Amino acid sequence: TLIEIKYEDIASKYVDHPIQLLSNIKKQVEEWAAKGPTIVFIDELDAMVANRAGDNIHQADKKKVNFFLQWIDGSLSSSQNTTWIGTTNYKFGIDPALLRRGRFDIIVHFKELEPEEIIEAFKIHIRLSNKKANHSLFAFKENSIRELLEASKLRLIKTGADVEGIIQDALASKAREHTEKLQPMLSHLMENNNLSIEELLPIAIGSDKTTHP
């Protein structure tokens, strides 16, 4: 079982509320771990378990770190069913106590993508995007990579997330262009046929086959 914990899952303006939320997640993890192997994945580990020596650290953040340390130590000593994985772009923002031996002591560094790896990343994300596309308008061709690279020449591409972001921006641009082209027709249909937005949506993506007066 994979359980993902994000910073927004425990974000709260109330001092003790994050601890309460973490307690609820801890209970859920323990229930799954009792049934079988469980992976706890923490995104943005530096935000979740911030360095207590930092200048802007608050008392609530210190409580959160202490809770995490006690939870991890308890789960590792009482069960072999729980595996902890965390990601961060800023290792030095993580409290050092979390990285000592017996906790998060295996660190894997992911380097920036090489040019040939960037091309492969585009191919992968294009395939994933095309699988989700509900119309050919939003599908990319294999030779779209050059076009996407040219459109993103002012952006740095270091990771797969950068590649995914470029593709999402391209999809948004396609949708805007298509909507702008159809705007006069859509306005005419709305004014003369009293069509709803739901009825116009298939037309906007080019899949409506109905003729309208």
Side-chain angles (χ1 to χ4, degrees), residues 40-45 84-88 94 104 106 108 110:
V40 181
F41 177 78
I42 305 175
D43 193 20
E44 297 184 77
L45 197 57
W84 294 79
I85 300 175
T87 62
T88 181
I94 302 173
F104 283 80
I106 299 177
V108 179
F110 290 91

Side-chain angles (χ1 to χ4, degrees), residues 133-152:
N134 57 5
H135 191 272
S136 59
L137 171 70
F138 300 107
F140 293 98
K141 299 177 180 178
E142 282 293 334
N143 59 5
S144 297
I145 296 177
R146 179 183 294 276
E147 178 185 338
L148 289 167
L149 284 170
E150 290 177 352
S152 63

Side-chain angles (χ1 to χ4, degrees), residues 65-83:
V65 174
N66 290 333
F67 182 93
F68 255 112
L69 295 177
Q70 293 173 11
W71 178 10
I72 292 172
D73 287 346
S75 68
L76 294 179
S77 62
S78 62
S79 171
Q80 297 299 317
N81 280 341
T82 306
T83 300

Side-chain angles (χ1 to χ4, degrees), residues 129 140 148 151-152 155 161-177:
S129 177
F140 293 98
L148 289 167
S152 63
R155 293 174 57 174
D162 295 331
V163 172
E164 182 181 13
I166 290 169
I167 291 176
Q168 292 302 316
D169 288 347
L171 285 172
S173 179
K174 280 174 177 273
R176 283 194 300 270
E177 290 175 5

